[in-house]
Amino acid sequence: MSGGRRPMLPVDTTEEQARALDAADPLAGYREQFLLPVTPDGEPKVYLAGQSLGAQPIAARAAVERELEAWARLGVDGWFERDRPWVSADGVAREATARIVGARPSEVATLNTLTINLHLLMASFFRPADGRTAILIDAPTFPSDRYAVESQLRHHGLDPARDLIVVRPRAGEACLRVEDLEGAIHEHRDRLALALLAGVNYATGQLQPIERLTAAVHDAGAVALWDLAHVAGNVPVALHDADVDAAAWCTYKYLNSGPGALGQVFVHERHTAAAGPAGRRLHGWWGNADETRFLMAETFEPDAGAGAWRVSTPPILSLAPIAASLTIFDEVGMPALRAKSVALTAYLEGLLDALVPDADILTPRDPTQRGAQLSVRIPDAQRRLADLEAHDIVADFREPDIIRFGMVPLYVTFHDAWRAATTLADTLAEADSAGS
Ligand SMILES: Cc1ncc(COP(=O)(O)O)c(C=O)c1O
């Protein structure tokens, strides 16, 4: 069931060790830049739910207020006047975003939200023709992705019962073996049009080798589209060099940009010529090049890059926190974030192994096959989550019996990990002795 063998090294489970690890953490100060949910006494909770909704950067409020103030003061002139005109607001995070996902700035854009963006990308990249009509997805699939893919198939007059290929983990295993995914891609190479794959699986926390699987999809003559909701800001990736065709993600998880914050896309620069997927893009005026949009011409003049996939006016108030949050990523850099994430996640893993033998860690044990999330199958998971919440520890639950812990390196401490593991151990022991 679990993500592999337990590590053999003994773990120091003392609180002093947790404190010592925090004292030696070069990123410890960044926690001060976030507002964490608080207890009724005003104490910050242990917030391990960043894989669901990232914590609020303190800078987010000022960023939103600046736009409210500009709206009040300038009205419609806010679109063009002042140092940060709204007309180019969706481009301000481009460079920082490109650094986070390993892209050229022109290959990324900020627009809509994730599922919508998957639809827009599939409108361009899913072109069933000449017997290639199938879409392949990995399981467990985030439901929205599955609904999107099934509806795309129906939209083209196809039948998901025939044209949707779902690759599942082997019986008794939680994670999908890469070789099984590659095998399925190869097996269906004659009919595969597109693969939509999750970079990090939402349920298990498994990280897939993006470059390797993209190459397998290309070998099969198909398009590789990635859902990177649980990757962006979590694991360093190099989308351009990995030759990914296109990808989409949200900014409300590891990118800490607020509930329902705008999504982002990557489109490889080799796809922006009109002859390819760009020629099948769905258009709106915001995809027009910034310089000529307001000429109100009859002819669409696309942005030279991924920005051409934008359709409508961006929601300025929702955009504002993104740039504020990404400033922190630029300052820290993905390598330093990743280094702490690996250490923190391994630390929680070691504590759970040592203190909570009933916890079955589904996430791969190999740090190169996971990000900052540990998914743990545990008896009576929903009650255990409620127990944790009663001790001011916020994690989250996914059906049927999984607690997910997000060890987000910007604001989670080693002491938070220690509190989560020891509290879980204590509450399990109490539940056992109460016979519940
Ligand atoms: C992996 C994954 N895909 C898709 C979605 C759907 O995102 P949205 O509601 O922004 O469309 C989520 C949301 O959490 C997700 O985790």
Side-chain angles (χ1 to χ4, degrees):
M1 282 286 186
S2 70
R5 270 200 335 272
R6 291 177 178 221
M8 302 304 289
L9 288 178
V11 167
D12 184 342
T13 60
T14 62
E15 186 170 12
E16 292 69 42
Q17 172 66 3
R19 298 274 186 217
L21 289 168
D22 281 329
D25 170 16
L27 302 192
Y30 281 97
R31 183 181 171 94
E32 302 303 318
Q33 298 199 22
F34 289 87
L35 293 167
L36 299 172
V38 288
T39 67
D41 303 334
E43 289 302 313
K45 292 186 179 178
V46 171
Y47 192 68
L48 309 181
Q51 73 288 349
S52 191
L53 178 67
Q56 183 182 133
I58 289 177
R61 181 181 296 268
V64 175
E65 282 176 354
R66 197 170 47 231
E67 303 310 341
L68 284 170
E69 189 275 327
W71 176 23
R73 188 167 45 87
L74 298 169
V76 70
D77 290 339
W79 282 105
F80 296 103
E81 284 183 12
R82 66 201 263 270
D83 51 345
R84 295 175 201 236
W86 296 326
V87 71
S88 51
D90 58 357
V92 292
R94 224 175 213 186
E95 307 259 336
T97 304
R99 280 188 280 276
I100 290 170
V101 297
R104 309 235 157 111
S106 64
E107 291 176 319
V108 295
T110 302
L111 64 165
N112 314 306
T113 42
L114 173 50
T115 311
I116 303 265
N117 289 336
L118 289 175
H119 275 301
L120 287 180
L121 291 174
M122 283 191 276
S124 293
F125 285 91
F126 177 49
R127 190 190 197 188
D130 306 328
R132 280 188 184 276
T133 53
I135 298 182
L136 181 145
I137 57 175
D138 54 326
T141 319
F142 193 84
S144 200
D145 292 23
R146 180 162 180 144
Y147 307 153
V149 160
E150 287 186 353
S151 62
Q152 283 283 335
L153 288 166
R154 285 196 203 94
H155 179 72
H156 287 277
L158 299 163
D159 180 2
R162 196 196 58 220
D163 286 302
L164 180 63
I165 302 160
V166 185
V167 190
R168 298 177 191 282
R170 294 185 189 181
E173 297 185 8
C175 294
L176 198 43
R177 296 192 191 194
V178 185
E179 61 269 27
D180 288 357
L181 260 176
E182 282 175 328
I185 291 164
H186 185 70
E187 179 190 338
H188 296 286
R189 65 191 173 284
D190 294 336
R191 66 186 192 108
L192 194 60
L194 179 141
L196 170 60
L197 300 172
V200 166
N201 188 275
Y202 83 99
T204 65
Q206 180 185 15
L207 169 66
Q208 294 291 1
I210 292 176
E211 185 165 3
R212 178 171 155 186
L213 286 170
T214 297
V217 173
H218 289 169
D219 279 351
V223 169
L225 174 60
W226 286 89
D227 176 340
L228 301 182
H230 294 263
V231 169
N234 176 14
V235 186
V237 284
L239 300 185
H240 178 89
D241 290 346
D243 208 23
V244 162
D245 294 290
W249 58 92
C250 52
T251 59
Y252 46 72
K253 298 179 186 294
Y254 295 93
L255 295 177
N256 310 319
S257 299
L262 287 167
Q264 298 183 311
V265 300
F266 164 89
V267 178
H268 200 285
E269 65 181 7
R270 69 195 157 77
H271 289 309
T272 41
R280 300 185 293 275
R281 202 172 37 214
L282 297 178
H283 286 164
W285 75 321
W286 223 261
N288 197 94
D290 290 356
E291 307 75 47
T292 55
R293 179 179 305 124
F294 286 89
L295 297 181
M296 302 308 212
E298 284 190 358
T299 316
F300 181 72
E301 190 187 309
D303 176 274
W309 270 262
R310 295 171 298 172
V311 177
S312 299
T313 310
I316 297 301
L317 299 182
S318 170
L319 263 175
I322 298 180
S325 172
L326 297 198
T327 302
I328 303 175
F329 283 80
D330 253 353
E331 201 178 296
V332 181
M334 286 307 293
L337 269 183
R338 176 66 171 159
K340 176 172 173 190
S341 159
V342 167
L344 190 57
T345 309
Y347 178 61
L348 178 67
E349 176 187 36
L351 291 176
L352 291 174
D353 283 340
L355 302 173
V356 195
D358 282 349
D360 182 14
I361 298 176
L362 305 180
T363 309
R365 297 296 186 147
D366 176 354
T368 66
Q369 292 177 34
R370 68 185 186 204
Q373 176 186 321
L374 278 190
S375 297
V376 176
R377 184 173 282 153
I378 202 146
D380 232 345
Q382 260 175 314
R383 282 166 84 168
R384 299 295 77 84
L385 187 74
D387 290 341
L388 288 172
E389 271 166 9
H391 289 83
D392 303 320
I393 297 166
V394 186
D396 75 356
F397 170 81
R398 284 292 174 269
E399 293 287 353
D401 53 3
I402 299 173
I403 295 183
R404 303 188 305 176
F405 295 103
M407 307 312 290
V408 179
L410 280 175
Y411 51 77
V412 175
T413 65
F414 289 86
H415 193 259
D416 289 343
W418 180 85
R419 269 184 65 191
T422 51
T423 306
L424 190 59
D426 292 347
T427 55
L428 270 169
E430 280 164 29
D432 270 356
S433 62
S436 75

